[in-house]
Amino acid sequence: MSSSKFLALLATFVGRIANISVTIDNKASTASTDGRTVFWPGTWALDLEPQLGLMIHEVCGHVLHTDTDAYVDTVKAHPAKTRKLFRSVLNIVEDVRIERSAWRTWPNAKRMLYAIADDRMESPPPNAQPTVGAAAFWLLMQLRDSVLGQDCLRDRAAAFRQLAEACV
């Protein structure tokens, strides 16, 4: 059995324990949740530990610790002109908050969440242009390094900081 199929089965099992549904979506490129259902890709090229990290992030993180209704209401209350940027920043802060909470739910969460951060978060591409998006990536990686101890992101955060500072 491939690690993707194993994790799809494990995600379903965890979903039953947590009283949520898990939908296997062969078109999805990453895991996500709406607070009631976890959407899990049918196939991935990720190693087992980063996939477990994503499961912890979605189930032990968002499903157990995010007030989805409050999150959605907060985003909707923000002015439409800047809503997308606001949602990105709110999601960055929420991801860090729920992952820290997940450490208390799952004993090995910190190690597995570190693995997914190191595996999935990339440095800016060569010749990247300074944008507000670079500032969001800088915030994400800086918070993950300083709050979650994901020091594997320190150099990547510094690279995004340079891009962010160039756009202000």
Side-chain angles (χ1 to χ4, degrees), residues 44 102 113:
W44 263 350
L113 291 166

Side-chain angles (χ1 to χ4, degrees), residues 149-164:
Q150 294 174 345
D151 57 355
C152 59
L153 301 177
R154 191 166 295 151
D155 291 343
R156 293 171 244 188
F160 277 110
R161 179 181 181 167
Q162 287 181 334
L163 284 174

